Amino acid sequence: CVLVAFYGYFCFFFFFKQKTAYEIYQCDWSSDVCSSDLVWFRRMGAVQTLVYDVEVDNSGDVYITGDFQGQMIIIAPSGNNFLNGNYTYRTFLIKFNAIGEILWMREDDSGSEVSSKAITLDANQDPYIAGTFKCVFDEFADSLGSGLFNSVGYNDIFITKYSNSGQIQWMKQYGGPLDDYCSGIAISQVNNPIISGGYTEYFNYPVGSSFI
């Protein structure tokens, strides 16, 4: 199966079987019906909607992550779903089942810029997302206490682990004195993520066998 996400004011998220290298899909947006071997697709949109990564678990459930501003609407034949937050800049993690029904949605937000760039699943099918935030990640700082999740420099890196039912398990912050960026994440073993990205000058990271 192939997953495709387009971004802009509206995202079109497709889950389909691919017969050939190139195939054209004709869609009736008013009835959410597409031709060919498309299994399902969903439209979602807000003031700004960016989908950066997608994963499929062992049961065929689909996770997508990215960021948005404003209220997000996810349009589906069975009814629309809405995702909102308290601060301006918002990340999202949405889990669909194998037929495109939403199982749960999660958003985390901040008054400063924040972006979820990558997602991975561990052996227990728990999702981890990784991305960047600027200045303060307000939602995490509000819950953990003043002074936490304040960036060391300008942009710092965050990793958040969720259970496969959508509950936050933990969140971590990494960074140096200037800009740090994360563009990918993988799992060595449960609770041991591996990230890739870039940094300016130097990067503060944990010492020892465990990343966290």
Side-chain angles (χ1 to χ4, degrees):
C1 295
V2 178
L3 296 152
V4 180
F6 302 91
Y7 62 85
Y9 288 101
F10 266 87
C11 294
F12 306 101
F13 186 70
F14 297 82
F15 185 46
F16 59 92
K17 301 174 183 177
Q18 186 178 14
K19 287 182 178 179
T20 61
Y22 301 97
E23 197 162 4
I24 296 174
Y25 288 82
Q26 296 180 334
C27 298
D28 179 354
W29 305 119
S30 62
S31 60
D32 284 352
V33 174
C34 287
S35 62
S36 191
D37 286 342
L38 188 73
V39 178
W40 58 266
F41 80 93
R42 294 292 175 264
R43 287 180 291 163
M44 59 192 70
V47 174
Q48 174 178 284
T49 312
L50 302 169
V51 178
Y52 285 111
D53 204 6
V54 61
E55 276 285 351
V56 181
D57 69 15
N58 293 339
S59 301
D61 296 334
V62 178
Y63 295 81
I64 63 171
T65 193
D67 44 80
F68 70 104
Q69 295 179 38
Q71 177 176 259
M72 180 187 290
I73 178 173
I74 300 96
I75 300 171
S78 58
N80 299 333
N81 292 270
F82 298 89
L83 193 59
N84 214 330
N86 297 316
Y87 292 101
T88 301
Y89 300 94
R90 300 161 183 172
T91 66
F92 66 86
L93 175 61
I94 304 175
K95 181 179 182 180
F96 300 87
N97 64 16
I99 60 173
E101 298 170 333
I102 292 177
L103 297 178
W104 51 261
M105 304 183 294
R106 180 81 202 200
E107 72 83 31
D108 300 298
D109 50 51
S110 181
S112 303
E113 294 177 15
V114 60
S115 182
S116 176
K117 299 295 189 184
I119 182 173
T120 191
L121 304 175
D122 66 20
N124 298 326
Q125 306 301 282
D126 293 330
Y128 303 66
I129 63 171
T132 60
F133 71 95
K134 188 175 183 178
C135 297
V136 182
F137 200 145
D138 285 297
E139 183 167 335
F140 292 166
D142 291 346
S143 63
L144 296 174
S146 178
L148 298 175
F149 270 88
N150 285 247
S151 62
V152 177
Y154 301 119
N155 286 286
D156 273 15
I157 292 169
F158 73 89
I159 302 175
T160 309
K161 179 186 178 181
Y162 302 84
S163 68
N164 54 32
S165 60
Q167 302 302 310
I168 286 184
Q169 303 300 293
W170 50 256
M171 65 284 280
K172 300 293 180 181
Q173 168 191 355
Y174 308 94
L178 296 176
D179 281 324
D180 311 287
Y181 297 98
C182 181
S183 56
I185 185 170
I187 289 293
S188 170
Q189 53 185 303
V190 173
N191 284 327
N192 282 296
I194 301 168
I195 60 172
S196 64
Y199 65 93
T200 306
E201 194 167 324
Y202 64 85
F203 183 71
N204 298 314
Y205 62 91
V207 176
S209 60
S210 175
F211 195 89
I212 64 168

